[in-house]
């Protein structure tokens, strides 16, 4: 019932199944232990199975080091597989070097990853004018209105955003590609943001 419910929650509803992993481990362990106690001849097979699971789990952990926190495949424009942490650290360094502390994010999850990894020294918002933390969109919009350095950040694989940006005559120096994974556009203007679907606060 829980599994079927997550299908209708939304595009990221499957995340509510994550706690089932822990319960699954307990179930497999308890069932395996019971089998070994009842049938001693299965003991060797159980040890082999545990060893195989540990090996496969180790390989999976290594593979997941290349997966983006946001669920977007961790490949840059040229198909290079990039670790999420080095890439986002490069993005934060780029923003800090340019004095940018306020960001419009073209991806709804990137905004939270960026704020978390920067220790909230960089404040980001997505398209909606209201968010889980109401002060973030207002703070970013105020920075834009007051002429403070602001930027648009998007994944370099975000074709929708790239198409909209192409319709504007942006200076070449306003667009920077970081870690072959992100695009930073700064300075950014209200017409560009509105064309991308951002709703700005008064």
């Amino acid at each position: 019932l829980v599994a079927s419910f997550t299908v209708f929650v939304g595009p990221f509803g499957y995340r509510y199944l994550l706690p089932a992993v822990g319960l699954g481990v307990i179930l497999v362990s308890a069932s395996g232990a019971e089998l070994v106690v009842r049938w001693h001849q299965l003991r060797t097979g159980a040890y082999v199975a545990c060893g195989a699971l540990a090996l496969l789990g180790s390989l999976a952990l290594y593979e997941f080091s290349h997966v983006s926190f946001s669920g977007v495949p961790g490949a840059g424009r040229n198909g290079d597989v990039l670790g999420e942490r080095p890439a986002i650290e490069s993005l934060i360094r780029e923003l800090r070097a340019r004095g940018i502390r306020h960001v419009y994010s073209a991806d709804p999850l990137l905004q939270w990853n960026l704020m978390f990894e920067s220790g909230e020294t960089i404040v980001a918002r997505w398209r909606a004018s209201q968010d889980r933390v109401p002060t973030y969109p207002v703070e970013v919009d105020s920075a834009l209105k007051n002429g403070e350095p602001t930027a648009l950040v998007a994944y370099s694989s975000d074709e929708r955003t790239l198409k909209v940006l192409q319709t504007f005559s942006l200076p070449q120096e306003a667009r920077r590609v970081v870690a072959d994974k992100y695009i930073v556009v700064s300075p950014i203007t209200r017409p560009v943001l509105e064309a991308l679907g951002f709703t700005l606060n008064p």
Side-chain angles (χ1 to χ4, degrees):
L1 286 173
V2 172
S4 61
F5 170 75
T6 60
V7 175
F8 303 101
V9 171
F12 300 108
Y14 51 80
R15 70 181 185 267
Y16 296 111
L17 293 175
L18 284 173
V21 175
L23 297 175
V25 170
I26 294 171
L27 177 63
V28 170
S29 301
S31 302
E34 187 176 350
L35 285 174
V36 170
V37 168
R38 288 188 180 182
W39 292 286
H40 296 289
Q41 60 270 29
L42 294 177
R43 185 167 295 171
T44 302
Y47 291 151
V48 171
C50 285
L53 286 173
L55 177 62
L56 291 172
S58 300
L59 293 173
L61 283 174
Y62 173 75
E63 186 66 23
F64 267 87
S65 67
H66 300 299
V67 174
S68 167
F69 299 146
S70 66
V72 177
R77 293 177 305 145
N78 300 324
D80 302 326
V81 176
L82 303 170
E84 176 74 4
R85 189 171 299 279
I88 203 163
E89 286 175 352
S90 297
L91 175 60
I92 291 169
R93 281 195 300 271
E94 171 74 16
L95 293 171
R96 285 175 174 164
R98 299 172 70 176
I100 298 170
R101 294 182 55 251
H102 298 93
V103 167
Y104 291 88
S105 172
D107 182 89
L109 299 181
L110 177 58
Q111 74 172 102
W112 301 107
N113 295 335
L114 188 57
M115 286 191 285
F116 180 83
E117 292 297 324
S118 70
E120 284 189 286
T121 58
I122 295 172
V123 178
R125 60 154 290 185
W126 190 50
R127 294 191 183 101
S129 60
Q130 298 179 356
D131 214 326
R132 293 177 179 178
V133 182
T135 56
Y136 290 155
V138 174
E139 183 177 340
V140 176
D141 291 345
S142 295
L144 177 70
K145 182 180 178 182
N146 295 332
E148 298 176 32
T150 54
L152 169 74
V153 174
Y155 283 101
S156 58
S157 57
D158 183 352
E159 295 181 4
R160 178 188 176 277
T161 297
L162 293 177
K163 285 180 180 177
V164 172
L165 291 176
Q166 287 172 359
T167 63
F168 290 86
S169 300
L170 298 174
Q172 187 64 34
E173 61 272 14
R175 293 176 55 171
R176 294 282 296 272
V177 178
V178 179
D180 199 36
K181 186 169 185 174
Y182 304 105
I183 293 177
V184 178
V185 181
S186 181
I188 193 70
T189 62
R190 187 183 186 106
V192 175
L193 292 170
E194 290 177 342
L196 288 166
F198 284 88
T199 304
L200 303 184
N201 288 283

